[in-house]
Amino acid sequence: MSLRWMLYGANGYTGRLMAEAAVARGLRPLLAGRNAEALKALAESLDLEWKVIDLSDAVALREALREIDAVMHCAGPFSATCAPMLEACLASCTHYLDITGEIDVFAHCQSNDARAKQAGVLVLPGAGFDVVPTDCLAAQLKRDLPDATHLVLAFEAGGGPSPGTAKTSVEGLGKGGRVRENGVLKRVPLAWKVRYFEREGVQRSAMTIPWGDVCTAYFSTGIPNIEVYMAVPPATIRRVRRLRLLGPLLGLKPVQEFLKRQVERKVRGPSNDSRERSATWVWGEATNARGQRVARRLRTPNGYTLTVDAALGIIERLAQGDVPSGFHTASQLMGASYVTTLPGVERTG
């Protein structure tokens, strides 16, 4: 089938990368967003159609989606942008995909499973680095150990964040950490636990973070206890733990606005050269009640490179037709081995 799809937030850091890669694959999305000048320049350089749409205009948004089969939503922070786009997709019977890594956004999307099935549309948040590699690894570990009760995932990423990712991290400072215990999401302090993972014979320190898999891996695997770690230097762990002293102050609107202005001023996202030179390491382990343990490890390209490849691979899957309706994670739609089919991904253990 010929898939008519919209790339919303196309003029953002990841959106621009995705637009360029889409054209290289022979895909022709409608570019959309709020910045007319940036959209026009990008669309003309790629010979694509474009449209200015503000998510606050629900009527215009729904009208624009009437002729669209699927949306790849790349405009974060998704805590603010997911709900209006998802509502419009449900109303216009348009498949919804995004590249979020935000726990509350995943939970919101899953809570609309019944509505999505009624509308006959797929709802798949987290179509990029957040959370394709870790979600697929979780599904593989569940396959290796079907009675697993505990799941630990971890990653070490190089290259630095995009502006959108940095702003999302700022929002997370005021919310603290998250884990899943006995099937229930639980708030914990920042850098709640610390442990080590081995990379190429070297021990890497890591701290718990509120990564999307705390939500999605439960939907993918049913494993009731989940923790996600990010490998960072010990000094970073100490700094994050000191932030606990600020507590609720970090969530105050003036503080959030100040920190996000700093992001806008200082963060530009990794350069092409930085993305090409940096890689990501992913660890996963599952254990059962008897203490049996299985583990897997992956090495992937830079997270933004993987996001583009993973998301466009899912778009190509939708173009094949026979798309299931309702909420799905990446591994549920594409299979547990999907991540290993992406360019530059290799299993290392």
Side-chain angles (χ1 to χ4, degrees):
M1 64 175 286
S2 176
L3 186 77
R4 300 165 300 176
W5 65 288
M6 174 189 290
L7 176 56
Y8 190 84
N11 56 289
Y13 178 84
T14 306
R16 180 178 292 271
L17 294 177
M18 198 172 299
E20 294 169 349
V23 170
R25 289 183 180 221
L27 301 172
R28 302 193 61 78
L30 168 68
L31 305 186
R34 296 189 304 170
N35 188 322
E37 183 178 356
L39 279 173
K40 182 174 185 286
L42 179 61
E44 289 181 348
S45 71
L46 297 174
D47 190 26
L48 295 174
E49 296 181 10
W50 61 283
K51 190 176 186 66
V52 174
I53 307 172
D54 194 317
L55 295 181
S56 64
D57 189 340
V59 174
L61 178 58
R62 292 181 184 186
E63 185 60 32
L65 293 182
R66 295 293 179 190
E67 303 300 319
I68 297 295
D69 299 313
V71 168
M72 179 61 71
H73 184 28
C74 296
F78 295 93
S79 58
T81 66
C82 168
M85 180 62 84
L86 179 57
E87 283 298 314
C89 285
L90 292 173
S92 60
C93 298
T94 302
H95 300 306
Y96 173 91
L97 303 94
D98 70 29
I99 55 170
T100 190
E102 299 169 51
I103 292 171
D104 293 334
V105 174
F106 285 118
H108 175 71
C109 287
Q110 197 278 335
S111 72
N112 281 280
D113 176 62
R115 294 179 65 202
K117 288 177 178 174
Q118 185 176 20
V121 302
L122 171 72
V123 173
L124 194 156
F129 180 77
D130 310 1
V131 293
V132 170
T134 40
D135 185 57
C136 287
L137 204 61
Q140 293 172 25
L141 292 166
K142 174 67 174 181
R143 187 175 60 196
D144 295 340
L145 191 65
D147 63 345
T149 58
H150 291 73
L151 174 67
V152 170
L153 298 166
F155 66 92
E156 181 174 10
S162 70
T165 299
K167 287 182 180 180
T168 298
S169 298
V170 165
E171 288 188 357
L173 290 175
K175 299 177 182 179
R178 287 289 186 97
V179 298
R180 190 176 287 273
E181 284 190 356
N182 299 317
V184 178
L185 289 173
K186 175 183 175 181
R187 292 193 181 275
V188 295
L190 294 171
W192 181 50
K193 290 184 180 180
V194 173
R195 58 170 291 179
Y196 293 83
F197 298 86
E198 185 178 294
R199 193 194 99 190
E200 299 173 331
V202 178
Q203 294 294 309
R204 317 294 289 183
S205 58
M207 62 182 182
T208 49
I209 62 168
W211 197 247
D213 295 275
V214 171
C215 189
T216 56
Y218 181 65
F219 302 139
S220 299
T221 69
I223 298 174
N225 300 285
I226 303 170
E227 297 171 359
V228 183
Y229 291 76
M230 180 171 66
V232 292
T236 299
I237 296 173
R238 291 193 293 270
R239 285 197 297 271
V240 170
R241 286 187 159 177
R242 284 198 292 270
L243 288 174
R244 296 177 185 175
L245 299 175
L246 298 177
L249 292 176
L250 293 171
L252 294 177
K253 185 176 179 180
V255 176
Q256 286 282 310
E257 289 177 345
F258 170 77
L259 294 174
K260 288 179 180 179
R261 284 196 299 271
Q262 299 305 302
V263 168
E264 291 172 354
R265 188 163 63 88
K266 298 178 180 179
V267 179
R268 293 293 176 265
S271 65
N272 291 341
D273 182 60
S274 178
R275 286 197 312 276
E276 291 175 2
R277 288 186 292 104
S278 59
T280 301
W281 288 262
V282 184
W283 297 267
E285 62 181 46
T287 55
N288 63 14
R290 298 187 302 279
Q292 293 176 303
R293 175 181 174 274
V294 293
R296 285 177 177 258
R297 289 178 292 177
L298 297 173
R299 184 183 185 276
T300 82
N302 176 274
Y304 294 100
T305 300
L306 187 138
T307 288
V308 169
D309 288 334
L312 292 180
I314 294 172
I315 285 290
E316 290 172 336
R317 162 65 182 83
L318 267 59
Q320 295 172 10
D322 192 25
V323 180
S325 62
F327 172 89
H328 285 69
T329 65
S331 68
Q332 288 174 328
L333 178 71
M334 305 296 288
S337 299
Y338 176 55
V339 66
T340 56
T341 71
L342 299 175
V345 175
E346 58 180 309
R347 183 177 173 183
T348 60

